[in-house]
Amino acid sequence: MADRAVTAAMSDVNTTVHSTANSMAYLQDEMKPDTDAMAPLNLGDLDLTTDEFILDEVDIHIQANLEDDLVKEALKTGVDLRQYSKQVEDELQRIEQASIKDYIKESQNIASLHNQITACDSILERMEGMLSGFQSDLSSISSEIQTLQQQSVSMNMRLKNRQAVRSHLSQLVDELVVPGAMIQVILESPVTEQEFLEQLHELNNKINFAKELSFRETLACSDIQDIVDRLKIKAVTKIREFILQKIYSFRKPMTNYQIPQNTLLKYRFFYQFLLANERTVAKEIRDEYVDTMSKIYYSYFKSYSGRLLKVQYEEVADKDDLMGVEDTAKKGFFSKPSLKSRNTIFTLGQRGAVLSPAELEGPILIPHTAQRGDCRYPYETLFRSQHYALLDNGCREFLFLSDFFMVAGNSGLDLFNSVMGKTLSLFLKSMSTYVSDCYDSIAVFLCIHIILRFRAITNKRTIPALDKYWDAVLELLWPRFELILEMNIQSIRNTDPQKLGVLDTRPHYITRRYAEFSSAIVSINQTFTSERTHTLLGQLQVEVENFVLKMAAEFPSRRDQLIFLINNYDMMLSVLMERAADDSKEVEGFQQLLQARSQEFIEEILSSPFGGMIAFVKESEALTEKGQLDRLKNDEARITQLVRGFSSTWKQSVEALSQDVMRSFTNFKNGTGIIQGALTQLIQYYHGFHKVLAQPTFRSLAVRSELINLHHLMVEVKKHKPNF
């Protein structure tokens, strides 16, 4: 109703204001003076009685009034200004009287307008009162809104607090409540069921939550503690029976223990549950597993190692099978027979294949299969098979222990040693027994490099469990290898050439042993280089070189000595180059020795048929350097004999030389090289002979015409070049 009253009052005000505005507009139109009739002259400015009158300003005003059109018209018509002024005043009075009449005439309208304005003021006063009421109402409403807002904020805060409390209480209740499904599954379901594992996780969470609440002294914890404890005991009992059953299954003969291990890994949470809630049972299971697997590994590897030894070569090296021992050495009546060929001890052959990636990580040997096929293997092959089985089982066992028993670092290594310790001790004892009576240096060196490669494999797999074992094995093998090598070095040093049988210029069997052995060690040592191995090989090489020189000294002639040296150096170099790198110290050393002795031998074989000419050339060149060549100008007879002797016998001499060289050297390629070197040296000497006879001292000799043309000699010499 208030809104309708306000609207009606506003309508009345609008109507009154509109009528008042119309009346005022009418009065303004009526009271508007006639500007054309009332164009006044500004005579006040021409007041001559003003005290501040200034003549200059009078002139200005007069001049300005004279410019007025009305004044101009009056002056032009000759009007009297006084009369005109009186006329203007009369006109003004008439207009004033007319205006008064108009006001009187409109007095009713003015009175009506006044009444309307008064009514309008009353209406506006009522409206002002109403609006003031509205304003006071709005003020009260604003305060009520603020109050409601404060109440809303307070209610919102209480709601959030209640929701937070409800969330915590809901979680607390959920954690405290033990559902019937959990009780039924823990009590009745087999441990292998997935739902048992899920409920076991839930039970573990409730046990941990109950422990946490007990620390806070929460009263609700006591309500569920009894049932949780009973469920825990039941779960521990079932898990213990299950795991022990799996561990006992390892003990059955011919059991592949990896299968139950994989089953246990699927239920690794069982042990975690035991470790968190029943440590005595967890320790019992761990101890039972360690005891069982320790015995299984020990029994397996002991049996496997014993069977492997049955397929080892029956003939093995002994302390008399050394590099410097002669083949004709006699043995006692009760001594065991020697190897059929000692060279096999120093020859690598196919034994190095055990280090190839394909065989190194290949399947292990099956002893009964090898026995059935009557197969025999060298020790390093058995060693590789035995230790690859250890590596494979050890890596798998370490990963299982780390995963199932949740151990790492030193704890994991200690647990691994508890399981594999007896087996590793068995291996070390077996190795110690073998090494103490082993004289096969190549077998020991191959075993060393097998261990080095297996250690690299375990490092690549990040399995540190066997690192100490690898080190222990190497500590057994390295000293034995060095000892055997030193025994061989000593045997060569003590060799008496006079006890080695009939002298022969062909390669000696001792140097062949050295060449085969050195090339084998160098080729094996290329992957994992060992400086102490290089040092021992260097000592062995020095002794072999000394031995070759001692043997050569037994020959009566220098020619046979050189043939023996060249044959042995060439043989050792050829064998070394088959396996060793071309830039190895051994290869470079024998290359230098071979080159030096070959050059000496060339001089030796040329000295017999062409010694006179060679001596004359060398003598002439020496005298030429001193400027004393004239001392030979009286040797015309000697020169004539040399020229004619060479021309008549050189072909036969070259042919005999070639045949003799090819008979002397076992390596045709080496013999061919020596023949080529000899013929080249012969041409150089004959070229020098030409140059000497071309000197002024001998230019007058008639025999110079009998010299063979050098180019013709080269062509003829090429015909004697052997082709092999």
Side-chain angles (χ1 to χ4, degrees):
M1 289 181 66
D3 292 341
R4 285 199 295 271
V6 171
T7 303
M10 290 296 293
S11 178
D12 294 340
V13 170
N14 288 333
T15 303
T16 304
V17 171
H18 183 68
S19 61
T20 303
N22 292 333
S23 299
M24 291 297 292
Y26 175 77
L27 289 175
Q28 287 176 357
D29 291 339
E30 290 295 329
M31 294 175 65
K32 185 176 181 181
D34 187 0
T35 56
D36 294 336
M38 295 178 63
L41 288 173
N42 194 3
L43 298 178
D45 294 337
L46 299 177
D47 188 3
L48 298 178
T49 63
T50 305
D51 294 337
E52 298 177 358
F53 177 77
I54 301 173
L55 293 178
D56 292 337
E57 292 182 356
V58 171
D59 291 339
I60 294 172
H61 286 298
I62 292 173
Q63 187 64 31
N65 288 321
L66 288 175
E67 294 296 327
D68 186 85
D69 293 337
L70 188 60
V71 173
K72 286 181 180 181
E73 184 65 26
L75 292 175
K76 188 183 292 185
T77 56
V79 176
D80 188 1
L81 293 177
R82 295 183 184 87
Q83 184 180 354
Y84 185 74
S85 174
K86 188 175 184 304
Q87 182 181 349
V88 170
E89 289 178 359
D90 294 338
E91 185 66 24
L92 288 173
Q93 289 179 357
R94 185 183 63 79
I95 293 173
E96 182 180 358
Q97 292 296 325
S99 297
I100 291 171
K101 292 179 180 180
D102 290 335
Y103 276 113
I104 294 172
K105 182 180 178 180
E106 296 295 330
S107 59
Q108 293 181 354
N109 292 333
I110 292 172
S112 175
L113 177 61
H114 176 72
N115 294 331
Q116 291 177 1
I117 290 173
T118 303
C120 183
D121 286 341
S122 63
I123 293 172
L124 290 175
E125 185 177 358
R126 290 201 311 274
M127 288 182 64
E128 182 180 3
M130 293 173 64
L131 291 175
S132 297
F134 287 154
Q135 184 177 6
S136 62
D137 293 341
L138 288 175
S139 298
S140 62
I141 290 173
S142 176
S143 62
E144 291 177 0
I145 289 174
Q146 290 179 354
T147 303
L148 290 174
Q149 184 177 7
Q150 293 174 356
Q151 293 176 355
S152 175
V153 171
S154 177
M155 292 174 66
N156 188 33
M157 181 64 67
R158 289 198 297 272
L159 176 61
K160 288 183 179 179
N161 292 337
R162 289 178 180 179
Q163 287 178 342
V165 171
R166 178 183 179 184
S167 175
H168 288 294
L169 288 176
S170 176
Q171 182 179 0
L172 177 64
V173 171
D174 290 341
E175 294 290 346
L176 288 175
V177 171
V178 180
M182 175 186 292
I183 299 173
Q184 182 179 1
V185 170
I186 295 296
L187 294 178
E188 299 178 2
S189 296
V191 296
T192 55
E193 295 291 335
Q194 181 64 27
E195 59 180 356
F196 180 86
L197 185 61
E198 294 173 355
Q199 294 300 330
L200 188 66
H201 277 279
E202 292 296 327
L203 177 61
N204 189 55
N205 292 334
K206 292 186 182 299
I207 293 173
N208 294 333
F209 190 71
K211 290 179 181 178
E212 182 180 352
L213 292 180
S214 65
F215 290 132
R216 300 178 184 177
E217 299 181 356
T218 304
L219 296 177
C221 178
S222 59
D223 295 338
I224 64 165
Q225 191 65 49
D226 182 60
I227 188 170
V228 168
D229 289 341
R230 286 192 288 176
L231 285 176
K232 180 182 73 173
I233 293 172
K234 183 62 177 179
V236 168
T237 303
K238 294 177 71 173
I239 290 172
R240 176 182 176 276
E241 292 177 356
F242 171 75
I243 297 179
L244 288 179
Q245 181 184 2
K246 291 297 179 185
I247 293 175
Y248 293 151
S249 68
F250 295 165
R251 302 176 180 179
K252 296 179 182 178
M254 306 301 292
T255 298
N256 184 359
Y257 58 86
Q258 296 175 9
I259 295 176
Q261 273 187 341
N262 293 334
T263 303
L264 287 176
L265 284 177
K266 288 167 38 177
Y267 302 103
R268 62 174 64 86
F269 181 72
F270 288 172
Y271 184 79
Q272 182 180 349
F273 181 83
L274 295 178
L275 195 63
N277 300 288
E278 199 63 48
R279 286 186 172 271
T280 55
V281 176
K283 185 177 184 304
E284 177 192 3
I285 288 176
R286 175 170 166 171
D287 293 343
E288 191 67 32
Y289 177 84
V290 169
D291 182 66
T292 299
M293 292 307 298
S294 177
K295 292 178 180 178
I296 289 175
Y297 280 125
Y298 181 81
S299 175
Y300 167 74
F301 279 106
K302 183 179 180 181
S303 174
Y304 183 67
S305 300
R307 293 184 181 183
L308 278 180
L309 292 177
K310 293 181 181 180
V311 296
Q312 183 183 359
Y313 281 135
E314 296 180 357
E315 294 183 351
V316 294
D318 59 20
K319 61 181 180 180
D320 295 321
D321 294 314
L322 300 175
M323 196 176 296
V325 176
E326 60 275 13
D327 281 340
T328 57
K330 302 295 183 180
K331 293 194 174 183
F333 180 77
F334 293 103
S335 62
K336 61 182 179 180
S338 177
L339 294 181
K340 295 179 180 179
S341 175
R342 284 195 181 87
N343 289 336
T344 57
I345 304 174
F346 309 103
T347 304
L348 184 62
Q350 297 300 318
R351 298 171 71 180
V354 73
L355 298 178
S356 64
E359 189 167 339
L360 187 70
E361 300 184 53
I364 63 174
L365 292 177
I366 308 300
H368 64 270
T369 304
Q371 284 181 314
R372 198 180 307 131
D374 198 21
C375 297
R376 291 291 183 269
Y377 300 95
Y379 179 78
E380 62 272 9
T381 301
L382 309 181
F383 181 87
R384 195 281 317 174
S385 182
Q386 182 186 41
H387 281 79
Y388 187 69
L390 175 65
L391 181 148
D392 194 35
N393 285 275
C395 290
R396 185 181 293 107
E397 184 64 29
F398 181 77
L399 293 175
F400 173 81
L401 294 174
S402 300
D403 196 0
F404 185 78
F405 291 104
M406 297 179 297
V407 290
N410 293 330
S411 299
L413 295 178
D414 292 341
L415 183 59
F416 177 83
N417 290 329
S418 300
V419 175
M420 301 293 294
K422 290 177 62 178
T423 302
L424 298 181
S425 298
L426 171 69
F427 273 34
L428 289 175
K429 184 178 180 180
S430 174
M431 284 295 303
S432 179
T433 303
Y434 168 77
V435 166
S436 63
D437 195 37
C438 175
Y439 296 90
D440 188 350
S441 52
I442 290 182
V444 175
F445 199 61
L446 285 171
C447 291
I448 289 173
H449 278 263
I450 288 171
I451 294 298
L452 292 175
R453 284 161 172 77
F454 281 167
R455 184 168 64 180
I457 291 173
T458 54
N459 290 337
K460 185 177 180 181
R461 296 180 183 179
T462 63
I463 304 294
L466 293 171
D467 287 351
K468 290 185 178 180
Y469 174 75
W470 301 140
D471 294 338
V473 174
L474 291 176
E475 288 177 2
L476 286 174
L477 295 176
W478 271 118
R480 188 63 187 181
F481 173 72
E482 294 174 358
L483 176 63
I484 299 172
L485 207 53
E486 289 172 356
M487 291 174 65
N488 281 287
I489 293 172
Q490 189 63 37
S491 71
I492 294 177
R493 185 182 296 128
N494 297 335
T495 299
D496 185 357
Q498 295 181 354
K499 296 181 180 180
L500 297 180
V502 181
L503 293 177
D504 193 344
T505 58
R506 291 175 297 180
H508 200 274
Y509 58 83
I510 290 181
T511 58
R512 179 169 291 279
R513 291 175 187 172
Y514 162 76
E516 294 286 353
F517 176 78
S518 182
S519 65
I521 298 300
V522 170
S523 63
I524 295 171
N525 200 47
Q526 287 176 351
T527 305
F528 294 90
T529 305
S530 170
E531 287 301 324
R532 52 182 173 178
T533 302
H534 284 305
T535 302
L536 290 171
L537 285 179
Q539 297 176 11
L540 180 62
Q541 182 178 349
V542 170
E543 295 300 329
V544 169
E545 291 176 4
N546 293 335
F547 165 76
V548 172
L549 292 176
K550 287 194 297 184
M551 285 296 300
E554 296 294 317
F555 290 92
S557 67
R558 182 58 181 168
R559 178 178 176 280
D560 289 341
Q561 292 177 359
L562 292 173
I563 292 174
F564 177 80
L565 291 173
I566 292 172
N567 276 330
N568 281 274
Y569 291 153
D570 177 65
M571 181 273 299
M572 289 188 286
L573 183 62
S574 299
V575 174
L576 282 170
M577 292 183 67
E578 290 178 1
R579 297 185 183 274
D582 293 342
D583 58 350
S584 65
K585 293 191 298 184
E586 293 80 9
V587 171
E588 291 180 353
F590 284 115
Q591 282 178 338
Q592 294 174 0
L593 291 172
L594 178 61
Q595 186 176 1
R597 298 289 81 81
S598 297
Q599 188 61 38
E600 185 179 352
F601 180 75
I602 288 173
E603 296 291 338
E604 182 70 22
I605 60 177
L606 289 178
S607 64
S608 178
F610 309 108
M613 180 190 70
I614 294 172
F616 177 78
V617 170
K618 291 181 178 180
E619 182 182 0
S620 300
E621 290 177 349
L623 291 174
T624 300
E625 291 179 359
K626 298 178 181 180
Q628 301 174 359
L629 189 60
D630 292 341
R631 292 173 57 181
L632 298 177
K633 63 181 179 178
N634 296 324
D635 289 349
E636 182 177 353
R638 177 186 174 189
I639 294 172
T640 301
Q641 182 182 0
L642 291 175
V643 172
R644 291 175 179 172
F646 183 85
S647 301
S648 60
T649 62
W650 75 269
K651 289 185 179 181
Q652 295 84 351
S653 299
V654 167
E655 184 66 29
L657 181 147
S658 299
Q659 293 178 1
D660 184 34
V661 169
M662 297 310 297
R663 285 194 301 268
S664 300
F665 298 103
T666 54
N667 186 350
F668 289 145
K669 183 178 180 181
N670 183 41
T672 301
I674 291 176
I675 292 174
Q676 290 179 349
L679 296 179
T680 301
Q681 189 67 31
L682 176 62
I683 292 174
Q684 289 179 353
Y685 279 132
Y686 198 69
H687 179 60
F689 192 51
H690 267 264
K691 290 175 64 177
V692 170
L693 295 184
Q695 297 295 322
T697 304
F698 305 111
R699 283 180 185 174
S700 59
L701 295 178
V703 76
R704 288 183 67 246
S705 60
E706 299 180 21
L707 287 171
I708 300 174
N709 182 271
L710 195 61
H711 180 70
H712 175 70
L713 179 64
M714 293 173 64
V715 173
E716 290 296 326
V717 163
K718 286 183 179 180
K719 296 179 181 179
H720 293 273
K721 177 182 176 182
N723 296 316
F724 293 101

